[in-house]
Amino acid sequence: MSVTKATDAASKQQVTNNDNNEQQPKSSASSESSEMRKSHLNPMHWWRYSTNYVTTLVDNFTLPFIILLTSCYYGVKGTLYTFVMSGQLPYFQKYVGVSGIEYQTYKLISSLPWAMKAWIGMISDNYPIFGYHKRYYLYIATLVGGVSFFL
């Protein structure tokens, strides 16, 4: 009989603790969320967060690797892209026989899918085809790209 009383007392205390715990996070969660909203608007929060992020990156990957990765991304990729894009118009005018207006039109049409990738991603996430979010959209994109290439 004493075991039953001890079990009942323990379960009542646990229910009381659970009720108290449920009420506390609600009030603290609302104050934390409003505090987080305010802190995300503060530029000093951004500075502190980015400093912590860079410190963690350097601790995990070492500074020479981070410098190498950054220089490859911005230096090589950015520089090569700039040189290639700046040399395209003269090439198209001289060797392909395309005017500047036609070149700009082709460049616009070829860069449209890249510019619309956020919209395409939202559409594929919200409207699955046969239950798949990406698979059939990739098939459609491959088909459209292949047909466009041959035209």
Side-chain angles (χ1 to χ4, degrees):
M1 193 165 223
S2 63
V3 173
T4 307
K5 287 181 183 179
T7 306
D8 289 339
S11 64
K12 285 180 186 178
Q13 184 178 7
Q14 185 178 10
V15 168
T16 306
N17 287 342
N18 286 342
D19 290 341
N20 291 339
N21 288 340
E22 287 176 4
Q23 290 172 356
Q24 287 176 349
K26 288 180 184 176
S27 62
S28 64
S30 63
S31 65
E32 285 176 11
S33 64
S34 65
E35 192 174 300
M36 283 184 69
R37 273 186 256 132
K38 290 178 186 175
S39 68
H40 286 292
L41 298 175
N42 185 358
M44 289 307 293
H45 172 75
W46 300 339
W47 175 255
R48 275 185 245 125
Y49 179 75
S50 62
T51 305
N52 291 338
Y53 179 74
V54 171
T55 304
T56 305
L57 261 175
V58 169
D59 289 344
N60 289 329
F61 297 106
T62 71
L63 185 60
F65 180 72
I66 300 300
I67 291 171
L68 176 71
L69 194 64
T70 305
S71 66
C72 285
Y73 185 76
Y74 288 109
V76 175
K77 184 179 177 187
T79 304
L80 286 177
Y81 181 76
T82 303
F83 284 130
V84 167
M85 294 308 277
S86 65
Q88 274 186 345
L89 179 59
Y91 174 79
F92 274 89
Q93 286 176 335
K94 185 175 181 179
Y95 297 108
V96 182
V98 174
S99 70
I101 295 171
E102 287 177 315
Y103 169 76
Q104 288 295 327
T105 305
Y106 296 146
K107 188 174 176 185
L108 174 75
I109 291 170
S110 68
S111 65
L112 268 177
W114 182 260
M116 294 175 25
K117 67 182 177 182
W119 290 103
I120 294 168
M122 287 189 292
I123 290 169
S124 68
D125 286 344
N126 290 318
Y127 302 105
I129 300 174
F130 300 119
Y132 292 100
H133 290 280
K134 303 288 182 208
R135 175 185 280 179
Y136 292 106
Y137 285 100
L138 288 172
Y139 292 155
I140 292 168
T142 303
L143 181 68
V144 169
V147 168
S148 299
F149 178 75
F150 288 113
L151 294 177

